[in-house]
Amino acid sequence: MGYFFVGPMLLGVLVFTLIPMIFSFMLSFTKWSFVTGFDKIRWSGLDNFRQLFQDEVFLKSLGNNFIMLLAVPVGMAIALILGVIITSHVYAPGAFKVIYFMPQISSVVAVAVVWQVLFHPSYGPVNGFLSAIGVDNPPKWLADPTYALPSVMLLMIWIDLGVSLIIYIAGIKNIPADLYEAATIDGASKLAQFRSITFPLLTPTTFFLLVTGIIGNFKSFALVKVLTDGGPANSTSVVVYDMYQTAFVDLQTGYASSMVMILFVIVLAITGLQWLGQRYWVNY
C-alpha cells in the first residue's frame, strides 16, 4: 500500500528530474542543437568545458552569482531583527506578517515592473526624491552597470524577506518562555537574552534558511530576465540566464548543458560544505 501512495511522486521525480539530469549530463559532452534532431548529436569530449573557462560572459555570470550570495545573509539578518521585534514588541503582528509576505505571493513579473518604474533614471520617484533633497546626478540604477546588480540584489532581499521572517517567527515562538523568565530574574538585558538564548536556539532555522537561500539564489532567472535582461553590459547576467540564452536563443544545447553541470557541481559543493560545517555552529 505504501508504494501506491509514493508511486506518483517517485514517477514524477524519475521522469521530470532524474532522466533530464542524466540526459543533460550526456549532452554536456556534445555539440548539439535541439532543433536539429537527435541524429545530429556529435561527441565533443571536454571541449564545452574548456570553452566555458574562456567564455567571458559565462565567467561574468558566475561571478555575479557569487556576488548575489551576499543578499542571502543580509536578508536573513533583517528578517531575524524584524522577527524579534514583531514577536514581542508590536501590536497586531499578523498584519506585519501579511505586509512583509505580500511580495512573495505577488507575481515576480509584476514586482519587477513596479521596481523598474520606481528606479527609472529620469521619471522614477526614487530619483525624484533624491533630486528634491539636493542630490546631484543621482544613480541611474538599473541602467548603470555599477548600480544594476546591487539594485537587483535589493529587490531579491525585499521579495524573499517575507519567507525568512515567517520561518524565524515560528522558530522564536518555539523557544521555551521559561528560559527568558530565568534570564530576566538573573538580570540579563534584552540584548544579552538575544545573544545567549534567541540566537543560539535559532541556529537550526538559520542553517535551513542559509542552505535554501543559497540554492535559490543560484537558481535566479525570472527576476533577471524581466528586470534587466542580463544588462547593461552583462552586469546582471547570472548562470541560469546565460544558460537560457545559450540554449534557447543561440540554440547551443550541448554547450548550455555544460553550464548546467558546472552550476550543479558548484551548488553541490557549497551545500556539502555547509552540511559539514553545521556541526561547529548549529545547536540542535
Side-chain angles (χ1 to χ4, degrees), residues 238-256:
V238 291
V239 173
V240 175
Y241 176 79
D242 191 19
M243 180 199 68
Y244 164 80
Q245 287 289 113
T246 304
F248 299 104
V249 178
D250 300 336
L251 302 178
Q252 300 179 51
T253 311
Y255 188 52

Side-chain angles (χ1 to χ4, degrees), residues 49-217:
F49 295 96
R50 294 193 191 97
Q51 186 179 344
L52 272 181
F53 291 102
Q54 299 173 354
D55 186 338
E56 293 183 1
V57 176
F58 174 75
L59 295 177
K60 177 71 174 176
S61 302
L62 190 59
N64 287 341
N65 262 124
F66 279 103
I67 294 173
M68 287 170 68
L69 291 182
L70 294 173
V72 178
V74 172
M76 289 169 57
I78 296 173
L80 177 58
I81 294 171
L82 288 174
V84 172
I85 295 173
I86 290 174
T87 303
S88 54
H89 298 289
V90 300
Y91 292 103
F96 287 90
K97 295 177 191 175
V98 173
I99 291 171
Y100 282 107
F101 204 74
M102 283 293 287
Q104 186 66 38
I105 60 176
S106 303
S107 165
V108 173
V109 176
V111 172
V113 170
V114 171
W115 207 257
Q116 283 178 324
V117 174
L118 289 173
F119 285 87
H120 191 281
S122 303
Y123 309 108
V126 174
N127 274 8
F129 172 75
L130 293 176
S131 299
I133 62 174
V135 176
D136 294 328
N137 299 319
K140 297 186 184 304
W141 303 113
L142 298 172
D144 188 329
T146 304
Y147 292 95
L149 188 59
S151 301
V152 174
M153 293 166 62
L154 192 61
L155 181 53
M156 292 176 67
I157 292 172
W158 186 62
I159 291 176
D160 295 335
L161 184 60
V163 174
S164 302
L165 178 63
I166 295 298
I167 294 176
Y168 266 131
I169 288 176
I172 291 170
K173 289 189 173 180
N174 279 331
I175 298 175
D178 53 354
L179 293 178
Y180 293 107
E181 293 171 2
T184 303
I185 294 172
D186 290 340
S189 65
K190 292 293 182 183
L191 182 60
Q193 292 180 27
F194 174 80
R195 188 175 60 248
S196 303
I197 299 175
T198 306
F199 188 74
L201 294 183
L202 284 179
T203 49
T205 306
T206 301
F207 174 65
F208 169 76
L209 290 174
L210 187 64
V211 171
T212 55
I214 288 178
I215 293 174
N217 202 291

